[in-house]
Amino acid sequence: MAPIPGSGLAKGLAVTLRTMTRKTVTEQYPDAQPELPPRTRGVIGLFEENCTVCMLCARECPDWCIYIDSHKETVPPAAPGGRERSRNVLDRFAIDFSLCMYCGICIEVCPFDALFWSPEFEYAETDIRELTHERDKLREWMWTVPAPPALDPGAEEPKELVAARKAAEKIAATQQAEQAEQAEQAEQAGQAGQAEQTRLGERSQQAEQHRPGEGNA
C-alpha cells in the first residue's frame, strides 16, 4: 500500500507540536553545577603512593601526553646480612591535557591503581601551555574521585577478596590448632602433676603406716 502523500510532513509537524508544548529546562551554569554521571571522564587524578614508576601508562598512551621522571635510591637491607635493594622514586608526573583524548588507556593499564577518573572539568586555561598539569595538581584531583559503585549482589566475588579471605581463614585455623595443642599439652601436664601428687600422697601414707610408734621406741 502506497503511503499517503504528506504523511511524513504531518508526523514531523506532530513531533514539533509536542516539543513546543513541553516545558524547557535550562541549567543555569555556572551558578548551578550540573549533575554528572559517576563515570564521567573529566580529568585524571594521580594517587602518588601507588605509583611504582613502571612507565606502562606513558608507553601505552597513544598521544604521548604523559611525562614521567624518576631516579633510583638504594634501600638498606631489612635484616642484617641481607642485600641492598634499589627502588624508583617519582620526581615528575605530568599530563598534557591539550593532547589527551580521554581514551582512559592509562587508567586501564595501570597495574597498581595509581590513576583514576575524576568528574572535574573546570580546568580551562587561556594559555595552552598551562594545560600541562604536574603531579601536585593531579594529586589534588584525587579528592574529587567518587567512591566506587556498590557491587551487584548477584555478582561474583572479586578474586582479591577470595584470596584474602582464604589466607585469613588459613591463619585462623592455624592459630586455633596451636591453641588446641597448647591446651591439650597443659591438660596433660596437669593430669601428670595430679598423678604425681597422688603417688606422693600414697607413699606418704605408706610411710606413716610403716613408721614405728613412739611407745615401741
Side-chain angles (χ1 to χ4, degrees), residues 31-216:
D31 297 331
Q33 293 293 323
E35 296 182 2
L36 300 175
R39 299 179 65 183
T40 298
R41 296 188 176 188
V43 75
I44 298 173
L46 170 67
F47 190 50
E48 187 176 337
E49 286 76 4
N50 285 358
C51 181
T52 61
V53 201
C54 65
M55 305 293 292
L56 191 58
C57 56
R59 291 198 299 266
E60 295 296 330
C61 177
D63 291 333
W64 294 89
C65 63
I66 300 177
Y67 311 112
I68 301 175
D69 293 330
S70 65
H71 69 276
K72 289 186 177 293
E73 285 187 357
T74 302
V75 181
R83 297 178 58 185
E84 294 183 344
R85 296 180 297 108
S86 63
R87 66 174 182 178
N88 293 323
V89 179
L90 184 66
D91 292 329
R92 185 194 183 199
F93 195 108
I95 300 178
D96 187 354
F97 286 98
S98 65
L99 297 177
C100 179
M101 64 180 184
Y102 304 90
C103 62
I105 292 178
C106 58
I107 297 175
E108 294 177 1
V109 300
C110 179
F112 301 105
D113 292 334
L115 298 174
F116 297 87
W117 279 118
S118 166
E120 286 291 319
F121 62 92
E122 296 178 320
Y123 54 94
E125 300 289 347
T126 56
D127 189 348
I128 193 173
R129 291 172 294 184
E130 299 296 329
L131 285 174
T132 300
H133 295 289
E134 301 292 335
R135 65 176 183 175
D136 294 337
K137 187 63 177 178
L138 300 178
R139 184 182 180 85
E140 291 179 6
W141 278 323
M142 270 302 302
W143 300 108
T144 63
V145 174
L151 295 176
D152 187 350
E156 183 180 354
E157 190 175 11
K159 296 180 180 179
E160 296 82 1
L161 294 181
V162 175
R165 188 180 66 253
K166 288 183 178 179
E169 291 176 352
K170 185 177 180 180
I171 293 174
T174 303
Q175 292 177 349
Q176 290 179 358
E178 291 177 353
Q179 292 176 358
E181 184 178 358
Q182 292 175 359
E184 185 178 357
Q185 291 176 355
E187 184 179 358
Q188 291 176 355
Q191 292 177 354
Q194 186 177 3
E196 184 66 22
Q197 291 179 358
T198 303
R199 285 196 297 271
L200 291 175
E202 292 177 353
R203 289 178 181 177
S204 177
Q205 290 178 1
Q206 291 176 1
E208 288 290 339
Q209 291 175 1
H210 291 85
R211 182 180 300 174
E214 293 180 357
N216 298 327

Side-chain angles (χ1 to χ4, degrees), residues 7-37:
S7 59
L9 178 60
K11 291 181 180 179
L13 291 175
V15 173
T16 303
L17 291 174
R18 285 198 304 269
T19 305
M20 290 176 61
T21 56
R22 293 176 182 173
K23 181 181 178 181
T24 58
V25 179
T26 302
E27 294 183 354
Q28 301 299 326
Y29 177 83
D31 297 331
Q33 293 293 323
E35 296 182 2
L36 300 175

